[in-house]
Amino acid sequence: MPAASAVLAIVLAYLALSLVVGLWPGRRASATAEGYVAGDRSLGLLLMYFITGATIFSAFAFLGGPGWAYSRGAAAFYILGYGVLGFIPFYFVGPRAARLGRRYGFLTQAEMVAARFDSRAMALAMAAVSVVALVPYLALQIKGAGYVLDTVTRGAIPEAAGGAIVYGVVLVYVLRSGVLGVGWTNALQGMLMMGLAWGLGLYLPHRLYGGVGEMFRRIAETRPELLQPPGLAAGGEVWGWGEYSTAVLVSAVGFSFWPHLFMKVFTARDDATLRRTVVLYPTFQIFLVPLFLIGFCGVLFDPPPERPDQVLPHMLMHMDLPAVLVGLFCAGALAASMSTGDAMVHAAAAIAIRDGWARGLGAAVDPASERRLIRWAVVAVMAASYLVAVLYQGSLVLLLLSAYGAIVQFAPAVLAALYWKRAHGRAVLAGMIAGSAATLLLTARPELRPWPLHPGAYGLALNVGVLLLGRAKAAEPRREVSEFLRVAAGRLG
């Protein structure tokens, strides 16, 4: 069998296995929105570990991360910087939110914040920002899957068709099994990703250069600018320390407040499971190191790839490697894409219906209808994201970095809801809207930034400023607010 056919056969076998693993757990969940969205709050440590770790490490890890190391050198290390710091808030915020979820039945981040401030407008605004941020992030995953199949089949399966094939599988098991399907496929995908990342990350430097040390010695001789922090910007000039550090700051603060990740606090069996997940999470972060090594392997590789994000599959297809190895890489890259994409489409659909339609717009929805509407929303979100993936031609990492600028605006609202008794609901909402608008404007018009900082940093500063200005208007908290915060703190059962 020709090598290309063998590679494709391995990829199809992996997709079939993912489909089976994703469909099977759907039999266990109750036929309610709580069963579909939160898995009846039954997830233990194994599923929580993989559903959080594999959800975060996506197509940007297998494709965008090596692409930045290849084209921008030390700039890629910002990903390690925010990853080390970003999950720390989850240790403190997660158990508080989980207690509230068990007491009040919350399934989403926006639902919790809106209930705290008794604000339908809050639910609608957070739902809108969540969906707007999650659609391009999901598009990144679809595009990454398309990259892989297009490259390894040498164009026989075009990018658009490859994305459609892979995410057709995702659509089926998310529709059938909800969060339990996401969790069990994430466990499969996470184990595959970690094994392949270390295998390729150590093998390729040895194969191409004789070892990691020799690889960096040769890069230092020929392309020393790639090894000098903070690395290079998109145009090839040095990336400023201000933009680098604020990229780390915005991503670290926003990390725990991604809606699809935050929703997982409502699926955990208990508080101890959440905290153990946070403690174990850095073992997932470590697997980015070999992926950066792969990107640096491509710096002196000839011929160069057409696009930096394709450096890993490009090298594999231009080396004399067994078809099985190339096929396993493809499966690993698709696992990285699917393990994030499935959680995102599931979360975006639940948020659109539960927060936007039901709570934000006040539509009357019974439990059976809610589950059905969420499933229809899964199809709509997938279709919108696929369209963005087909049309977008930029960097995968830049697309993700832009999305973080919007998501970081949720941090002040969530922290105020969980910790600040006198937070003023209107000020929280105004801050979030102002911060999101400023981030959007400065992302679209970077020349308006007074200093070269991440647009999300300006938005976050404005967000917090508006929130603090509203402190003077805050009245004595209602009894319901005091009870809400006592439940969050674990002082009320």
Side-chain angles (χ1 to χ4, degrees):
M1 182 164 56
S5 300
V7 170
L8 190 57
I10 293 171
V11 169
L12 293 177
Y14 168 72
L15 291 176
L17 178 61
S18 296
L19 185 60
V20 171
V21 171
L23 289 175
W24 184 258
R27 302 163 61 251
R28 293 172 44 200
S30 63
T32 63
E34 186 170 27
Y36 188 76
V37 176
D40 298 310
R41 309 184 195 276
S42 64
L43 272 64
L45 182 60
L46 175 67
L47 286 190
M48 283 299 297
Y49 173 73
F50 280 109
I51 207 170
T52 53
T55 290
I56 288 298
F57 291 107
S58 59
F60 102 93
F62 255 77
L63 300 172
W68 263 41
Y70 163 75
S71 61
R72 302 177 65 169
F77 297 146
Y78 100 89
I79 302 170
L80 283 176
Y82 82 75
V84 168
L85 302 171
F87 216 42
I88 294 174
F90 216 72
Y91 188 90
F92 304 97
V93 171
R96 282 180 171 254
R99 292 179 202 120
L100 291 167
R102 291 190 290 269
R103 175 65 178 269
Y104 298 108
F106 300 143
L107 301 179
T108 68
Q109 178 177 238
E111 184 179 19
M112 180 189 74
V113 176
R116 160 66 177 85
F117 295 111
D118 192 23
S119 172
R120 287 170 51 181
M122 185 81 71
L124 189 59
M126 291 187 72
V129 173
S130 296
V131 173
V132 167
L134 284 171
V135 164
Y137 199 172
L138 177 57
L140 183 156
Q141 314 311 318
I142 298 173
K143 196 170 189 69
Y147 273 0
V148 172
L149 291 186
D150 177 60
T151 303
V152 299
T153 62
R154 301 186 189 278
I157 299 179
E159 207 174 281
I165 291 169
V166 173
Y167 274 81
V169 172
V170 172
L171 181 62
V172 171
Y173 71 71
V174 171
L175 283 174
R176 172 68 180 88
S177 299
V179 75
L180 289 178
V182 171
W184 282 106
T185 54
N186 280 185
L188 167 69
Q189 292 154 352
M191 288 185 281
L192 182 62
M193 281 190 290
M194 295 173 78
L196 284 171
W198 279 108
L200 287 171
L202 296 177
Y203 172 75
L204 290 179
H206 176 76
R207 171 72 181 269
L208 295 173
Y209 299 93
V212 173
E214 179 62 18
M215 175 185 73
F216 281 117
R217 187 189 67 77
R218 291 181 58 185
I219 293 174
E221 291 176 350
T222 56
R223 296 289 307 280
E225 70 278 9
L226 292 178
L227 303 183
Q228 297 170 1
L232 303 180
E237 69 278 5
V238 175
W239 204 21
W241 277 109
E243 195 155 12
Y244 179 92
S245 59
T246 52
V248 173
L249 173 66
V250 167
S251 301
V253 174
F255 193 89
S256 291
F257 299 98
W258 272 103
H260 66 292
L261 178 60
F262 195 93
M263 284 171 64
K264 301 307 177 285
V265 306
F266 301 119
T267 68
R269 185 179 299 156
D270 50 41
D271 295 353
T273 298
L274 280 172
R275 291 198 170 102
R276 288 171 186 153
T277 301
V278 175
V279 171
L280 290 173
Y281 164 78
T283 58
F284 242 101
Q285 181 72 18
I286 291 170
F287 108 98
L288 279 174
V289 173
L291 293 174
F292 290 155
L293 295 179
I294 291 169
F296 282 113
C297 275
V299 171
L300 303 179
F301 190 84
D302 187 47
E306 292 184 9
R307 290 180 287 191
D309 290 330
Q310 291 182 327
V311 63
L312 176 49
H314 173 83
M315 286 193 296
L316 293 181
M317 294 306 294
H318 285 81
M319 296 171 64
D320 184 21
L321 296 174
V324 171
L325 180 61
V326 178
L328 287 174
F329 153 72
C330 294
L334 294 182
S337 166
M338 295 166 71
S339 64
T340 300
D342 53 15
M344 285 180 174
V345 69
H346 174 261
I351 290 165
I353 299 303
R354 192 170 180 90
D355 299 327
W357 179 251
R359 182 174 286 273
L361 297 177
V365 182
D366 61 80
S369 298
E370 184 179 20
R371 181 182 169 105
R372 184 174 63 253
L373 287 171
I374 291 173
R375 283 175 159 170
W376 279 111
V378 165
V379 177
V381 169
M382 187 74 83
S385 301
Y386 180 76
L387 182 62
V388 173
V390 170
L391 297 177
Y392 180 74
Q393 297 301 319
S395 161
L396 296 182
V397 177
L398 285 178
L399 184 62
L400 174 61
L401 196 52
S402 298
Y404 264 105
I407 290 303
V408 74
Q409 308 308 323
F410 287 166
V414 173
L415 294 176
L418 292 175
Y419 290 95
W420 194 6
K421 182 181 293 188
R422 291 184 177 274
H424 194 284
R426 290 182 181 176
V428 171
L429 178 59
M432 187 170 60
I433 293 173
S436 300
T439 301
L440 181 62
L441 174 63
L442 295 177
T443 299
R445 299 283 304 279
E447 69 275 8
L448 297 179
R449 292 179 293 171
W451 302 282
L453 307 178
H454 189 286
Y458 290 102
L460 184 60
L462 180 60
N463 187 340
V464 173
V466 172
L467 173 57
L468 292 177
L469 286 175
R471 181 181 180 182
K473 299 181 180 180
E476 183 68 25
R478 307 184 317 275
R479 177 182 298 179
E480 294 86 351
V481 171
S482 298
E483 180 179 326
F484 184 100
L485 294 178
R486 285 198 298 273
V487 171
R491 294 195 297 267
L492 191 64

